[in-house]
Amino acid sequence: MIKIAYSAEVDKAKAEGGPIVALESTIITHGMPYPRNVETAALVEQDIRDAGATPATMAVIKGVLHVGLETDQLQELGQAKNVAKISRADMAACIATGGTGATTVAATMIAARLAGIAVFATGGIGGVHKGGETSFDISADLQELAQTPVNVICAGAKAILDLALTLEYLETQGVPVITYGQDTLPAFWSAQSDLPAPLRMDDVALIARAYAARRDIGLPGGQLIANPIPADAQIPIEELTPILAQAQKEADALGVSGKAVTPFLLQRIFELTEGRSLEANIALVRNNAKLAARLAQELNKLAK
Ligand code: PSU
Ligand code: MN
C-alpha cells in the first residue's frame, strides 16, 4: 500500500468518526494567483470547521499523498513554482518518482476514496471544452465521477466549457447531476444557465440518501451537486461573454493544448476582468464548502 500522510486534524476526525470534507489543490496552484490562493484556501478550510466538519486538502508532496495539509505545507504549495497538475493519469507516476503535485478534481476524488472521505467541495469541475467534438478535450474529471464514489459539490462549470456537451457526457456516463435549490444548471460565475438540470434536490438529507441508495444498488461512481453562486457575488453573463471569447481566441492562436488549457483560460479571464472573476470564484468556493460540510454531516448520520 502507498503511504498516506494525514494532517493532525484529519487524523483526529477519522479516529472520532467525524465528518470530513475533501478539498483539491489545483485550484490553489493553477487556479488562483498568490497570495489570494493561500488566503482563500485558509478561509475555505475555516468555513468547513465553522460548519462542524474537518477539511482535508489533498496534494502529493515529495512522493507522499497528503490527506489534509498543515498550515506551512499549504503556504509552501501556494508559493511553489512548477508544481505539477495531477489528474488520474499522473498521480501514480508522481508518487513513484517522488514528485510534488496539486490534485485536480479527478485526483482529489481518488485520494478521498482512499481516505474513506465521501464529500468534496470545489469551485468548478473540468468538462468538455468548446470544440471538444473535434479536439477530444474532455476533462478526466467526468470519467472519475462515473467510477469513484465521491460527492462533488461545485458551482456548475465555467462557460469556457461547452456546458450542454458536458451534461450529455455526464448523462452517458451515468453520473447523477443534482442542482441544489433551483431548476437550471448554475454556470459558475452566474447562478443561472439556460440548461435545465437533470435532477433537483433542495434538501441536503435527500442528497445523502440518494448517494447511499446508489451505493446500495451497487452502482460505482459519485454524484455531482451543482450549487449556484450567491446572487450578490455573480458576474453578469453579458459582461463575461466577450471576455471568454477573447481568452479562447488567444488560447487557440497560441496553440495552448492539453492540461495547460484550463489554467491559461483562468489566468486570462482573471486579467481581463481585472480580478473580478477571482472575487466571484472565492465566494462560490466558500459557499460550496459550507454545503459540503452539511452533506458530510448528513452522510455521517445515515452511517450511524
Ligand atoms: N475549473 C475551474 N477552476 C479550476 C479547475 C477547473 O473553474 O481550478 C481545475 C480543477 O482542478 C479541475 C481541473 O479538476 O482544473 C480540470 O482541468 P482539465 O480541464 O485539464 O481536466
Ligand atoms: Mn483537458
Side-chain angles (χ1 to χ4, degrees):
M1 224 4 225
I2 63 153
K3 184 170 168 247
I4 299 180
Y6 292 97
S7 66
E9 67 180 325
V10 172
D11 212 29
K12 180 163 176 277
K14 275 182 72 74
E16 290 170 352
I20 305 176
V21 174
L23 295 166
E24 63 158 307
S25 46
T26 295
I27 192 172
I28 304 171
T29 56
H30 294 72
M32 292 183 185
Y34 180 81
R36 296 301 299 281
N37 60 348
V38 179
E39 287 164 22
T40 303
L43 281 174
V44 170
E45 289 201 343
Q46 194 55 43
D47 286 333
I48 290 171
R49 291 185 199 105
D50 291 347
T54 299
T57 303
M58 310 294 188
V60 176
I61 302 176
K62 297 189 181 122
V64 175
L65 175 59
H66 285 255
V67 174
L69 297 180
E70 306 298 346
T71 311
D72 54 330
Q73 294 170 328
L74 197 65
Q75 275 287 345
E76 232 172 87
L77 195 70
Q79 292 182 64
K81 302 270 180 272
N82 304 319
V83 175
K85 167 179 165 184
I86 49 181
S87 188
R88 165 170 275 258
D90 327 283
M91 196 168 184
C94 188
I95 290 169
T97 57
T100 293
T103 54
T104 61
V105 168
T108 303
M109 290 178 73
I110 295 167
R113 177 180 50 77
L114 279 172
I117 300 169
V119 181
F120 161 26
T122 186
I125 57 157
V128 182
H129 278 265
K130 289 198 166 116
E133 64 278 18
T134 50
S135 69
F136 278 27
D137 190 347
I138 300 170
S139 176
D141 294 352
L142 303 184
Q143 282 278 347
E144 204 60 54
L145 280 159
Q147 51 189 316
T148 301
V150 174
N151 289 281
V152 178
I153 291 120
C154 69
K158 291 206 166 103
I160 55 176
L161 301 173
D162 188 317
L163 296 189
L165 284 187
T166 300
L167 271 187
E168 286 297 341
Y169 192 90
L170 287 166
E171 187 192 42
T172 303
Q173 293 291 329
V175 176
V177 178
I178 303 165
T179 53
Y180 181 64
Q182 68 181 33
D183 290 324
T184 63
L185 192 74
F188 201 78
W189 294 295
S190 321
Q192 303 284 339
S193 71
D194 50 12
L195 295 166
L199 296 163
R200 170 182 172 163
M201 293 182 192
D202 295 2
D203 174 6
V204 182
L206 181 57
I207 299 173
R209 290 203 302 277
Y211 174 79
R214 196 174 162 89
R215 182 194 55 209
D216 294 349
I217 297 167
L219 294 174
Q223 302 192 119
L224 184 63
I225 296 106
N227 185 31
I229 185 171
D232 58 0
Q234 290 189 82
I235 304 182
I237 192 74
E238 311 79 69
E239 203 175 310
L240 277 173
T241 303
I243 287 173
L244 301 181
Q246 184 178 335
Q248 184 69 57
K249 212 173 93 190
E250 290 177 15
D252 294 342
L254 291 167
V256 180
S257 67
K259 57 170 66 191
V261 173
T262 300
F264 176 89
L265 293 173
L266 296 181
Q267 175 61 24
R268 282 304 286 143
I269 293 161
F270 168 72
E271 289 159 7
L272 293 166
T273 59
E274 291 166 346
R276 285 188 59 213
S277 66
L278 179 60
E279 300 312 318
N281 203 341
I282 293 169
L284 65 85
V285 182
R286 297 186 68 182
N287 191 45
N288 294 343
K290 289 168 198 155
L291 183 61
R294 288 172 55 204
L295 179 57
Q297 282 160 332
E298 289 298 337
L299 279 168
N300 250 30
K301 278 191 222 158
L302 282 185
K304 278 172 186 148

